[in-house]
Amino acid sequence: MSTAQPAALSFRSAVEADVPELVVLVESAYRGDASRAGWTTEADYLDGQRTDPDGVRAVIDSEDGVLLVVERSGELVACCHIEHRGDHAYFGMFAVRPGLQGGGLGKEILAEAERRARETWGAREMRMTVVNVREELIAYYVRRGYRRTGELSPFPYGDERFGIPLRDDLAFELLVKPLQP
């Protein structure tokens, strides 16, 4: 008895018609009870929204980057944003359906994002910011070659577009990974 391999992932640029489903995906991966089905939840640190239709549209419409829609057998399973910033690329808005987390999708998607940043823009490194108290998530990126820089930027307390903080010690830590040619 053989086990069927899951269908391959496909990647494409997000379009306006994807906005509603992308908002639901990102929210489900990070906020509220639905997010607790996966391990990337921020529900213990942040309440409120992670993004909204305008935020997703702004990423789609940006000329300096791409919001990748990741599908398997025609179903949206993940997304991520890569933005060209001179000699480096920025990685963000990474979301995998909570029920599919922990199965290796994230590693595959991250590798594809890094490849695209290197080959499309000649980026020499990938950068991202992660909420500093997300030790398990930071450890995930460290295992994939990212280095903690210790550089912190303030969390935007009072700006509910980023959520409603449930703690007063939040900041963003910069993680960096060299991209080999």
Side-chain angles (χ1 to χ4, degrees):
M1 186 171 174
S2 68
T3 348
Q5 285 291 93
L9 297 178
S10 64
F11 297 82
R12 64 174 175 80
S13 297
V15 295
E16 172 68 29
D18 296 316
V19 169
E21 196 174 4
L22 287 168
V23 170
V24 169
L25 170 67
V26 172
E27 291 296 310
S28 73
Y30 290 96
R31 301 288 162 80
D33 287 337
S35 70
R36 294 183 190 279
W39 67 273
T40 61
T41 184
E42 294 175 340
D44 295 331
Y45 315 113
L46 293 159
D47 203 355
Q49 71 178 31
R50 172 69 189 247
T51 192
D52 59 26
D54 289 339
V56 172
R57 266 187 214 95
V59 172
I60 290 172
D61 293 341
S62 169
E63 293 182 15
D64 296 322
V66 63
L67 180 57
L68 288 178
V69 169
V70 184
E71 295 172 318
R72 175 177 277 154
S73 301
E75 178 188 7
L76 179 83
V77 296
C79 69
C80 68
H81 174 222
I82 348 172
E83 184 176 299
H84 183 212
R85 296 184 179 175
D87 65 345
H88 71 277
Y90 181 82
F91 180 79
M93 201 176 276
F94 189 24
V96 175
R97 278 187 196 270
L100 298 176
Q101 292 175 15
L105 284 179
K107 181 168 64 171
E108 191 175 340
I109 295 162
L110 185 59
E112 175 65 11
E114 292 167 355
R115 184 193 69 75
R116 285 178 182 237
R118 187 179 58 250
E119 291 180 7
T120 305
W121 301 312
R124 286 188 242 143
E125 68 181 19
M126 186 76 89
R127 297 180 186 177
M128 69 175 74
T129 55
V130 179
V131 176
N132 61 318
V133 297
R134 308 275 325 274
E135 291 297 336
E136 187 178 7
L137 185 59
I138 291 170
Y140 169 85
Y141 288 120
V142 167
R143 287 191 304 273
R144 276 145 196 84
Y146 286 80
R147 178 180 55 80
R148 295 183 82 158
T149 65
E151 285 182 48
L152 299 178
S153 55
F155 187 86
Y157 284 92
D159 186 343
E160 291 189 5
R161 291 177 304 160
F162 297 94
I164 301 166
L166 302 176
R167 309 170 47 148
D168 63 2
D169 61 344
L170 302 179
F172 293 109
E173 182 172 354
L174 177 67
L175 306 182
V176 176
K177 178 181 181 178
L179 298 179
Q180 304 305 324

